[in-house]
Amino acid sequence: MTKSVIIRAVGAGLPERRVSNDELSKTLDTSDEWIRSHTGIGWRHLAADGETTSDLAVRAARQALERAGVTPADIDLIVLATTSPDYFGCPPTACIVQHKLGATQAAAFDLVAACSGFIYGLTVAKSMLLAGTARRALVIGAEVLSRVTDWTDRNTCVLFGDGAGAAVVDLSDTPDQGILNTRMGTDGSGWEYIVIRNGGAAHPYTRGSLAQRKLPVIEMNGKKVFVFAVRTLPEVVRGLVAEAGLTLDDLKWIVPHQANARIIQAAADQMKIPESRFYMNLEQRANTSSASIPLALCDLDAAGGLKRGDLIAIVGFGSGLTYGGALIRW
Ligand code: UT7
C-alpha cells in the first residue's frame, strides 16, 4: 500500500516573558510606530536568563507528543533546526533534547538552514520515513535568537523573538493526506546577507575579541533579503501547487515564514491572492527563524483554522540564502 507522511500533531514552546515595542523603545532609538509600520511586529517572547534553545524545544516537543498520543520512546528520529544552538558546534542541541525528553530510541541531529530550517527538516524526515530509515520523527524548529542579537543595533534586534515549534511526523496509509510535496533551494551567492560573522572558523575568537566588540551576533542586509523573499515566496508556492496538479485557488492557507508583514503583503499582491489567506502571527511572535513556521501552524491550529483535509502551503526563506516550501493536506 502507498504510504504517505503526515504531521500528526504540532506543539509550541514559548518563553513566558513578552516584550512590547514600547518596552524596547525605552532603551533603543526606535518606536512602536516604526516597528509596526515597517514590519508588522508588535511583541516578541524573550527567553529568561538560563533558558536555552533545548528547553524551548523540549517544551514544544512534549506538547506535540502529547497531542499526537505518542511517547518519547515511540520516536526514532529527532531533527532539530536551529541557528542559535545551546552549544556552538558540539554537541548537537538535538542530543540534549533527546536526553531531556528521554527519547532513548531516537537518532538526533541538528540541521542548520536558518528560517527555512523547519521546511528542510520536514523534507529530511519525510524522505527518511519513506525510505524506511526511520519510523516516526520529531521535527523541531527552536531558537533563542536573543542571545545572538546585538541589542544596540536597531536594524536587527527589534525583528527577532525566541520560541520553538515541533511536529510529530508519522507514516500513514492515507495516500492523499499529509506532506504531498516539498521544495528546497539555495542561493549561496547571498551568504553574507544574513550572517553571524564572529566566532566560527572564518573569524575565530581570540583574546580581546569581546573588547573589540567582535560579538557573535546577527548582521543583516535587510533590503537584499526583502527583495529575495518577495521573489522566492511566490515562486515556491506556485511551484508546489503546479507540481501537484493543483492551483492557488485550492489552497486554504499559505503559512509563510513570519519575517515581515510587508514581505507577505508584496507576495500576496504579486500572486493576486487576498492577504487574508496568508496566516500571520508575527504581530505577537516576531521573527523566530526556524521556529516561525511550526509556531504559526500551532497558533493557526489553536485558533481553529486547520481542519483535516485542508490544503495548506508552508514556505520559508532566510540566511544562506535558503528557501523552500511544502504542500500539506492537513
Ligand atoms: O528571517 C529572514 C530575515 N530577515 C528578513 O526577512 C528581513 C527582510 N528585510 C526587512 O524586513 C526590512 O528591510 C527591514 C525591516 C529590516 C528594514 O526595513 P526598511 O524599510 O528596509 O528600512 P531601512 O533599512 O531602509 O531603514 C529606513 C530607516 C533608516 O534611517 P535613515 O537611514 O533613513 O535615516 C534606518 O536607520 O529606518 C531606520 N531604522 C529604524 N528606525 C527606527 C532602522 N531600524 C529602525 C528601528 N527603529 N528599529
Side-chain angles (χ1 to χ4, degrees):
M1 182 181 288
T2 316
K3 294 273 185 195
S4 63
V5 175
I6 61 165
I7 293 181
R8 205 166 277 292
V10 285
L14 285 162
E16 257 173 52
R17 184 169 166 230
R18 280 175 81 229
V19 174
S20 67
N21 295 338
D22 282 332
E23 193 174 335
L24 290 187
S25 61
K26 285 181 190 157
T27 52
L28 194 70
D29 181 15
T30 188
S31 64
D32 181 58
E33 193 282 321
W34 192 96
I35 301 171
R36 279 186 191 272
S37 60
H38 285 74
T39 70
I41 294 166
W43 301 79
R44 72 281 298 137
H45 290 254
L46 295 181
D49 286 348
E51 196 169 37
T52 62
T53 300
S54 64
D55 292 332
L56 300 180
V58 165
R59 210 175 300 160
R62 286 205 177 112
Q63 191 176 79
L65 287 168
E66 197 182 300
R67 289 176 176 170
V70 297
T71 68
D74 297 324
I75 298 294
D76 61 0
L77 174 68
I78 298 174
V79 183
L80 176 79
T82 186
T83 307
S84 47
D86 283 9
Y87 295 93
F88 170 62
C90 72
T93 303
C95 302
I96 303 173
V97 171
Q98 188 247 28
H99 175 63
K100 288 181 178 170
L101 283 176
T104 50
Q105 304 307 307
F109 62 89
D110 287 3
L111 184 155
V112 187
C115 308
S116 315
F118 183 75
I119 306 273
Y120 274 48
L122 217 51
T123 308
V124 168
K126 178 183 171 184
S127 309
M128 288 181 68
L129 262 59
L130 288 179
T133 41
R135 239 175 359 94
R136 188 176 286 129
L138 259 175
V139 178
I140 309 171
E143 304 285 0
V144 179
L145 294 173
S146 59
R147 305 258 162 77
V148 288
T149 297
D150 179 351
W151 285 97
T152 64
D153 176 13
R154 68 178 185 174
N155 291 295
T156 53
C157 74
V158 302
L159 306 174
F160 301 116
D162 300 335
V168 173
V169 179
D170 217 346
L171 284 167
S172 161
D173 291 327
T174 46
D176 52 350
Q177 202 194 341
I179 304 164
L180 305 184
N181 56 348
T182 63
R183 286 173 96 83
M184 298 196 302
T186 302
D187 175 4
S189 71
W191 70 267
E192 260 186 305
Y193 295 163
I194 312 181
V195 58
I196 299 178
R197 201 172 294 279
N198 299 313
H203 299 282
Y205 273 127
T206 54
R207 271 179 207 283
S209 290
L210 294 183
Q212 294 161 37
R213 287 200 54 77
K214 292 193 169 166
L215 301 170
V217 290
I218 298 170
E219 297 167 31
M220 185 173 71
N221 183 330
K223 285 203 190 314
K224 294 275 193 194
V225 180
F226 196 100
V227 170
F228 164 75
V230 172
R231 193 186 74 238
T232 48
L233 196 162
E235 264 174 30
V236 168
V237 178
R238 284 202 181 100
L240 284 168
V241 290
E243 194 177 67
L246 298 164
T247 71
L248 293 176
D249 289 338
D250 294 312
L251 290 171
K252 167 126 184 244
W253 290 108
I254 297 170
V255 182
H257 167 49
Q258 307 286 309
N260 187 325
R262 283 163 55 221
I263 291 175
I264 296 169
Q265 283 149 5
D269 272 1
Q270 255 197 50
M271 296 165 80
K272 299 185 180 33
I273 292 183
E275 203 187 305
S276 57
R277 281 184 38 219
F278 286 76
Y279 181 70
M280 281 193 249
N281 66 350
L282 60 83
E283 202 259 339
Q284 296 295 319
R285 310 279 183 236
N287 179 347
T288 57
S289 190
S290 57
S292 128
I293 292 171
L295 271 177
L297 289 175
C298 272
D299 284 346
L300 180 57
D301 196 25
L306 285 176
K307 305 262 179 296
R308 280 277 163 231
D310 285 347
L311 186 72
I312 65 166
I314 58 177
V315 51
F317 49 85
S319 171
L321 298 167
T322 58
Y323 57 96
L327 198 62
I328 302 170
R329 179 78 64 188
W330 199 254

